[in-house]
Amino acid sequence: MKKRFHHDSYLLGIETSCDETAVAILHGDTIVANVISSQLIHSKFGGVVPELASRAHLQNITYLVQQALKQAEISITDIDGIAVTSGPGLIGALVVGTNFAKGIAVRFQIPIVDINHIEGHLYSPFLEHQDLDFPYIALIVSGGHTLLAIVQSFDEYTILGCTRDDAAGEAFDKIANLLGLGYPGGPMIDKYAQNGNPDAFDFPRSMLKSSNFDFSFSGLKTAVRTFLHNTFPQGVPEVVLPDLCASIQEAIVEVLVAKTLKAARTYRISRIVVAGGVSANSRLRERFHAAAQKHRLQIFIPSIQYCTDNAAMIAFLGRYKLLNGISSALTFNATPTFKASAA
Ligand code: KG4
Ligand code: ZN
């Protein structure tokens, strides 16, 4: 007989959409396990190699589930429900997580719900901020996506705008690659920028003044490439990296902050959520907190471990859905592209 999912249940969350294999367990609304394995193998290629990601997920996933169970001090038979990322992401990587989750659901006769990764980020601040309320403006900035949304409830949100080319994280990663800083580049640019002057070099702020809520970052990447080619044809000297990184970071951060504030003003919403891997950026966090003080806004940004990819956010949304009678048939598929399911 199928187990019933209730408020006190244990829920297993699985996330394998990109290069992080992540597993979390909730007991009720408490996170009792949260484990992650970041695939270092991609760093030497300057970006994620999809086939290597799939193989690494396969190698890691059983061990990570065992680790999570150990951390939660329970056995697999105690799990009452399962939530798994079904997209968007790398198709091969998603297939590993979704098939593994389906296997557990069938073997232990527990309900399963598939979760949209972007929606996982969209609601991730609830993991730490039970006082967060609807509606809020959400800026989701990750390696694959950059979008602004109005979030009305757990079941309803409206996308205001998104990137027309590169995502903000992609811009960080590609520019870091041009600078020879390795992958993922965002944290490296952030680190160098700490000791640099953000006004040292002037890089374009694409679509800063446009009337819509879309973004564009590929022009910045081209501007940096041209600048490096003309100014440092022999390679970038180590000594300019702090100023260079601070100036590049500022160009990205300024646009993200300005457009989010504009959305808050336009829709008269005073709560702002910033989530996704790039929300780990220290300058972005600093500028949002400063803007909150100045404009009397409430800003909710997850702590670093819940900004970047994690399974706790997948488990959290899964719990909401299962408690509200929403589960998935075992025939659901992994889907590589983003479809707003709640809107
Ligand atoms: O959400 P996430 O972990 O994975 C995706 O869903 O894409 O985001 C990963 C992205 C990468 O592009 C990485 O460079 C960026 O987040 N990132 C950062 C920082 N930490 C991670 N970008 C800027 N500054 C950081 N501190
Ligand atoms: Zn993500």
Side-chain angles (χ1 to χ4, degrees):
M1 201 183 71
K2 249 194 169 166
K3 278 196 195 173
R4 274 202 58 229
F5 192 82
H6 51 86
H7 274 90
D8 253 353
S9 286
Y10 282 99
L11 184 143
L12 181 70
I14 294 181
E15 153 65 42
T16 63
S17 67
C18 192
D19 57 344
E20 253 105 30
T21 319
V23 177
I25 297 172
L26 291 183
H27 183 201
D29 60 4
T30 308
I31 303 164
V32 290
N34 188 36
V35 292
I36 186 155
S37 166
S38 299
Q39 304 174 2
L40 302 176
I41 188 160
H42 306 287
S43 61
K44 63 178 172 215
F45 299 100
V48 178
V49 183
E51 185 50 33
L52 294 182
S54 315
R55 288 187 214 170
H57 285 307
L58 261 179
Q59 274 167 0
N60 294 338
I61 195 157
T62 308
Y63 176 72
L64 279 181
V65 170
Q66 284 166 348
Q67 286 301 104
L69 291 168
K70 207 165 148 191
Q71 216 176 74
E73 298 179 352
I74 57 169
S75 98
I76 188 79
T77 53
D78 294 318
I79 299 288
D80 302 306
I82 184 158
V84 61
T85 305
S86 59
L90 301 170
I91 187 69
L94 291 164
V95 163
V96 174
T98 51
N99 281 346
F100 189 90
K102 285 181 188 183
I104 293 182
V106 171
R107 169 66 182 81
F108 297 102
Q109 287 291 291
I110 53 177
I112 183 168
V113 60
D114 73 301
I115 300 292
N116 178 314
H117 179 84
I118 299 298
E119 290 172 12
H121 282 303
L122 214 49
Y123 298 102
S124 59
F126 281 102
L127 286 168
E128 298 163 296
H129 299 280
Q130 277 81 16
D131 54 327
L132 174 58
D133 214 343
F134 299 109
Y136 56 80
I137 297 287
L139 171 72
I140 304 300
V141 268
S142 72
H145 298 270
T146 298
L147 58 87
L148 264 173
I150 300 182
V151 184
Q152 288 99 340
S153 71
F154 282 116
D155 307 300
E156 192 186 0
Y157 61 87
T158 311
I159 307 278
L160 299 174
C162 52
T163 182
R164 295 192 177 174
D165 39 58
D166 292 349
E170 196 179 354
F172 270 110
D173 293 339
K174 286 180 174 170
I175 292 171
N177 214 3
L178 294 176
L179 297 171
L181 298 181
Y183 176 86
M188 289 304 285
I189 291 186
D190 192 347
K191 197 168 142 222
Y192 274 104
Q194 316 255 330
N195 302 315
N197 171 9
D199 300 319
F201 303 100
D202 189 20
F203 290 114
R205 272 75 167 146
S206 303
M207 301 188 76
L208 180 64
K209 301 241 149 56
S210 66
S211 57
N212 55 37
F213 293 106
D214 284 347
F215 301 90
S216 167
F217 293 107
S218 71
L220 173 64
K221 177 189 61 195
T222 309
V224 173
R225 183 187 287 126
T226 309
F227 172 83
L228 295 178
H229 184 262
N230 293 340
T231 319
F232 306 113
Q234 314 293 347
V236 187
E238 174 90 18
V239 64
V240 295
L241 276 177
D243 281 353
L244 206 46
C245 287
S247 304
I248 291 162
Q249 176 175 271
E250 201 67 7
I252 298 174
V253 166
E254 192 175 322
V255 178
L256 293 175
V257 175
K259 289 230 151 177
T260 308
L261 295 182
K262 186 174 137 194
R265 263 196 319 274
T266 307
Y267 294 96
R268 295 170 191 273
I269 293 176
S270 62
R271 282 179 220 102
I272 291 179
V273 155
V274 189
V278 179
S279 64
N281 184 268
S282 56
R283 182 69 175 152
L284 187 75
R285 297 169 88 91
E286 185 183 306
R287 291 209 42 178
F288 267 117
H289 286 302
Q293 278 214 321
K294 186 166 170 209
H295 302 287
R296 285 205 231 133
L297 299 165
Q298 277 183 289
I299 303 275
F300 299 87
I301 311 179
S303 55
I304 307 289
Q305 60 173 333
Y306 301 127
C307 283
T308 45
D309 286 350
N310 66 88
M313 67 183 190
I314 303 304
F316 173 82
L317 195 53
R319 176 173 187 269
Y320 168 81
K321 292 197 184 227
L322 289 179
L323 285 177
N324 285 279
I326 303 164
S327 61
S328 306
L330 283 167
T331 47
F332 77 83
N333 281 323
T335 41
T337 50
F338 177 56
K339 269 194 261 93
S341 66

